[in-house]
Amino acid sequence: MTTRGGARWRTFVQTETGSAALLLAAVVAALLWANIDLHSYEAVWQAHFTIGFDTRHLSLTVHEWINAGLMSLFFFVVGLEARREFDMGELRDRRWVVLSAVAGLGSMVVPAMIYVVINAGHDSVHGWGTAMSTDTAFALGILAVLRHRLPASLRAFMLSISVVDDLVALVVIAVFYSDEIHVPALLIALGALLAIVVVLRLADAGRGLLCALLAVGVWVALHEAGIDPVVTGLAVGALVIAYPAPRGDLERASRLFRLFREQPTPELQRSAARGLASAISPNERLEQRFLPWVSFGIVPLFALANAGIELSGARLADAFTSPITLGILCGCVLGKIVGVLGSMAGARLLSGGRLRPNVGWGSVTAAGSIAGAAFTVSLLIAALAFEGEELNQARIGILATLLGSFAVSWGVSAVIGLLPAARRARALLGTSEPLTDLGVSVDERHDHVRGPADAAVTLVEYGDFECPYCGRAEGVVRDLLGSETDVRYVWRHLPLTDVHPQAQAAAEAAEAAARQGRFWDMHDLLLDRQDELGERDLLRHARELGLDMEVFREDLKRRRGARRIAEDVDSADLSGVSGTPTFFVNGRRHHGAYDIGALKRAVEQARRRALAGG
C-alpha cells in the first residue's frame, strides 16, 4: 500500500517538475518557430476544423479547439485536486476554505487594480483580466524547484489559492469577455450539470461514459450560450468526490485477487482489475488517468499554440514602455504579493485571529511571489481582450511574469534561509495548530510507546507483524530512533487478516508478552522473523525471551490481547487507515515514501513546527 503511495507521490512531484520543464520548452519552441517563420506558425493554428453535419456543425480554428476544448481537461484535473483537498486535505478545515477564498480574491483584485492604474486613460484598460490569474502548472513547477527551501504544506496553500484564482478567472471570462449570453442554451448547460450530479450518485455501471457525454453536452451548450466553455472542466471536476480507500473495498479486492491467483482465467482477471480499481475513489482514478495527458500533452500544446510572438529589439523596447506590458508585469509580480499578504493580514485582523494561515508569514510571502507566474488563463483572456500589436504586448508581459516571479520567489526563499533556525521555522511554518489526522490521541498509559515522554515529535505506526512492508519499515524506524533523541515511537496494531492469516495471532502474542513487560522484545522478534509466525513459532519466541510459558500459553488460549488489538483497529478506522504501514507524525498523516530520508524530513518539519509553536 505505502509502496504504491510513495511511488505515486514521487511520480506526481516528477510530473510537476517535468511538466513545468516541458511547458517552458514549448514556450521556447513557440518563440523560435514564430521568429523563424511567422506565416507557417499562424497558418497551422488558424486552420479550421469542423465537427458535425450540414447546418448542425461546430467549426473552430485549431487554436480555438485547443484553448476552449483541450484546456477544459486541464481545468478538469484542477477541479479534481481541489475536490480532493476539500474532502481529504487541508480544506477539510472550513475556516481554511474561507481564508483561501479571501486570499484568492485578494491576489486577483490588487493586480487588476494595479493594471487599471497603469492603463488609466488608455483603451487597453479593458484588458485588466490579463493581470489577475496565476498559472497553476508554472506555480507548482516553481514550488517544486524551491521545495528544499520551503515547507511541504505550502503546496496545499498554493493549490487552494490557485483553485479560487481559476474559478474567479473563469467567471470573469464568462461575464466580461464572452459574447452576448443566450439564456436557453445556458439553462441547458445548467440542466446537464445537475444531471451529472445525479448520475455521480448512481451505481458504477456506465456512470463514467454517461458523465462524459453529459460533460460534452455542457461544453457545447456553454459555447452556444456565448460563454467560454473552458469553465466546464473545473465545474465537472469539482463534482467528483474523493475518499480514503475503505477497508471493506480493500478486503473485497483481496478476495478477488486470490480467486484470480487460484484460477487465472480472463474473466477473473477482469473481475480482479475492476475490484482493485474500485477500491480507490473516482476522483483519484480519474486524476491518475488524465494527469499525464494534461501535464505532458495538453498544457505544452497550449503553450506552443499561444506563446509564439515575433520578437525584435524594437518590439521589446515598445512592449516594455507599453502600459499593457507594464500593467501585466507589475500587477502580477508585485500585486500578487501585496494581494496575498494584505488579504491574509486583513482576514486575521477582522476575525480576531480565528482566521490565519496554516503556514508562516514568510511562506505566505513566498506564495505571493510564486503566484505572480501568469500564463494559461492570462493568455486565454488576452486572446479575448486584445488583437494585433496589443495582443503581442500582452503576451510579452505574460511571459515576463514567469522570469520575474521565479526571480522574486528565489530571493524571498533565500532571505528566509538566512534567518536563525527558530525564526526561520516560525517564518515558514507559523504558529497555528495543524489539522490533526490521528483519530485517537496517544496515551502513555495505554499505548505501546518507545522513547522519551517529553519528545518534541511523536511517530505513530499502524502495523501488521506479517506485512512485509512493515518489516522493511522497521529497519528505517530503528535507524531513525537511533539518530534522533527527541522522537518517541508508538506501535498500534492493524492486522490485515484478509491477506495475512497469521497477523492476528502474532499481535495477540505481542500483547501476551506485554502482560509480562516484554512487548518491545516480542515486537522486534516478530518483525525480524516474519516467516515464523505459526503457533509453535510463537511459543518458541516466548521461550527464547524467557517468558513464563504457562502464563503465556493461557493468555494466548483465552485471547486476552484481542480486545486491546480491537481498540487499535477501531482507532485506525477513526483515522481513516486501511493499510499498513501507515505513519502519523505529530498527529499528521505521513503521505509518500517511508525510507529513512523521507521520515527524517517529516520528523524535522514536525520538530520545526513544534519549535515555532513553542
Side-chain angles (χ1 to χ4, degrees):
M1 185 274 299
T2 305
T3 299
R4 181 185 65 80
R8 184 179 181 278
W9 172 251
R10 287 191 296 274
T11 300
F12 193 80
V13 171
Q14 291 165 2
T15 298
E16 288 177 351
T17 311
S19 174
L22 189 58
L23 187 56
L24 187 60
V27 170
V28 173
L31 291 171
L32 289 173
W33 185 1
N35 283 274
I36 292 172
D37 188 352
L38 183 62
H39 176 73
S40 69
Y41 178 84
E42 292 179 343
V44 167
W45 307 119
Q46 294 307 313
H48 273 261
F49 184 74
T50 303
I51 295 178
F53 307 96
D54 297 329
T55 57
R56 299 289 182 182
H57 66 272
L58 189 60
S59 181
L60 301 173
T61 65
V62 174
H63 182 267
E64 290 171 329
W65 278 115
I66 292 171
N67 284 17
L70 291 180
M71 286 303 291
S72 294
L73 291 175
F74 167 78
F75 288 107
F76 175 65
V77 171
V78 172
L80 289 174
E81 185 155 5
R83 180 57 187 262
R84 190 168 64 257
E85 285 292 329
F86 187 85
D87 290 338
M88 299 167 57
E90 297 284 347
L91 298 183
R92 287 176 299 154
D93 185 345
R94 300 311 184 223
R95 293 175 302 175
W96 185 236
V97 176
V98 175
L99 193 57
S100 298
V102 170
L105 289 172
S107 74
M108 302 183 80
V109 171
V110 173
M113 291 175 61
I114 290 175
Y115 179 92
V116 168
V117 169
I118 293 176
N119 284 266
H122 300 274
D123 293 339
S124 57
V125 72
H126 71 281
W128 51 270
T130 54
M132 294 177 66
S133 185
T134 295
D135 185 82
T136 306
F138 269 120
L140 293 180
I142 293 173
L143 187 58
V145 172
L146 300 177
R147 64 182 181 274
H148 297 299
R149 295 184 174 190
L150 301 172
S153 52
L154 187 58
R155 185 182 177 281
F157 183 98
M158 286 299 309
L159 179 66
S160 58
I161 291 178
S162 295
V163 168
V164 174
D165 189 296
D166 287 335
L167 179 60
V168 174
L170 292 178
V171 171
V172 167
I173 290 174
V175 175
F176 296 99
Y177 294 101
S178 294
D179 299 328
E180 182 181 352
I181 296 177
H182 299 283
V183 176
L186 178 60
L187 292 176
I188 291 173
L190 293 175
L193 273 175
L194 289 175
I196 291 174
V197 174
V198 173
V199 171
L200 286 172
R201 301 297 185 270
L202 301 178
D204 279 335
R207 181 172 64 177
L209 178 60
L210 185 54
C211 284
L213 292 174
L214 287 170
V216 172
V218 173
W219 191 93
V220 173
L222 286 177
H223 182 273
E224 294 301 311
I227 297 174
D228 195 310
V230 76
V231 70
T232 304
L234 190 65
V236 174
L239 294 176
V240 184
I241 63 172
Y243 50 80
R247 190 174 313 150
D249 288 351
L250 290 175
E251 291 174 351
R252 176 176 172 271
S254 297
R255 288 194 298 270
L256 291 171
F257 180 76
R258 285 202 303 274
L259 287 173
F260 168 68
R261 192 172 181 183
E262 293 168 3
Q263 190 178 1
T265 64
E267 293 78 9
L268 290 177
Q269 181 271 332
R270 287 191 292 269
S271 178
R274 286 194 298 269
L276 290 170
S278 65
I280 61 175
S281 69
N283 183 290
E284 291 178 294
R285 293 201 301 270
L286 287 170
E287 187 191 29
Q288 191 176 50
R289 181 176 303 171
F290 284 102
L291 180 62
W293 291 98
V294 168
S295 298
F296 297 119
I298 292 173
V299 175
L301 183 61
F302 170 84
L304 189 63
N306 286 271
I309 311 168
E310 189 176 16
L311 299 177
S312 65
R315 171 165 283 178
L316 289 174
D318 289 342
F320 284 102
T321 56
S322 160
I324 295 175
T325 303
L326 294 177
I328 293 171
L329 183 59
C330 294
C332 289
V333 175
L334 299 179
K336 288 286 185 179
I337 297 177
V338 175
V340 171
L341 275 171
S343 59
M344 286 284 189
R348 179 170 182 173
L349 180 65
L350 294 175
S351 68
R354 290 188 300 275
L355 292 177
R356 55 180 176 174
N358 65 343
V359 292
W361 290 102
S363 290
V364 172
T365 306
S369 62
I370 293 171
F375 192 75
T376 308
V377 178
S378 292
L379 285 176
L380 286 174
I381 296 177
L384 297 170
F386 301 114
E387 294 179 346
E389 191 58 33
E390 286 188 339
L391 177 57
N392 286 332
Q393 292 171 356
R395 287 174 172 171
I396 291 172
I398 292 167
L399 292 176
T401 66
L402 302 180
L403 296 176
S405 174
F406 181 78
V408 174
S409 302
W410 184 276
V412 168
S413 64
V415 170
I416 295 173
L418 296 176
L419 297 174
R423 293 187 62 188
R424 182 168 66 249
R426 189 179 296 272
L428 291 173
L429 300 171
T431 58
S432 62
E433 284 294 323
L435 193 63
T436 301
D437 300 312
L438 192 63
V440 178
S441 300
V442 173
D443 184 347
E444 289 268 357
R445 297 166 299 177
H446 178 74
D447 278 302
H448 298 300
V449 181
R450 193 178 232 172
D454 60 348
V457 180
T458 298
L459 179 68
V460 176
E461 177 185 357
Y462 282 93
D464 172 321
F465 288 116
E466 197 177 350
C467 169
Y469 301 111
C470 294
R472 296 174 194 171
E474 175 61 15
V476 175
V477 171
R478 291 179 189 177
D479 287 346
L480 180 66
L481 295 177
S483 61
E484 302 285 350
T485 58
D486 61 347
V487 176
R488 64 174 180 167
Y489 170 67
V490 178
W491 170 276
R492 286 181 176 175
H493 300 286
L494 184 58
L496 304 178
T497 54
D498 59 315
V499 289
H500 301 139
Q502 296 176 318
Q504 178 70 25
E508 291 179 15
E511 288 304 316
R515 293 171 68 85
Q516 299 186 41
R518 303 293 297 277
F519 172 81
W520 288 111
D521 296 320
M522 182 63 81
H523 165 277
D524 296 348
L525 200 57
L526 292 173
L527 287 174
D528 282 338
R529 303 175 184 177
Q530 289 187 301
D531 56 346
E532 302 175 13
L533 301 179
E535 183 178 352
R536 292 183 180 179
D537 296 319
L538 297 177
L539 293 173
R540 187 175 70 254
H541 298 334
R543 278 193 295 271
E544 184 177 332
L545 293 176
L547 300 182
D548 185 323
M549 294 305 298
E550 184 176 346
V551 174
F552 185 81
R553 284 193 182 93
E554 187 68 13
D555 287 343
L556 288 185
K557 180 180 178 180
R558 295 184 178 276
R559 303 192 62 197
R560 288 185 173 131
R563 181 176 178 180
R564 170 70 177 73
I565 295 164
E567 291 173 353
D568 280 357
V569 173
D570 288 342
S571 75
D573 289 336
L574 291 172
S575 304
V577 177
S578 55
T580 58
T582 297
F583 291 97
F584 292 81
V585 183
N586 278 2
R588 292 296 303 272
R589 184 164 180 166
H590 173 69
H591 294 281
Y594 51 85
D595 57 83
I596 186 66
L599 280 182
K600 273 193 171 183
R601 286 192 294 272
V603 165
E604 179 58 30
Q605 180 165 324
R607 181 189 292 112
R608 284 188 291 159
R609 186 179 290 278
L611 177 65

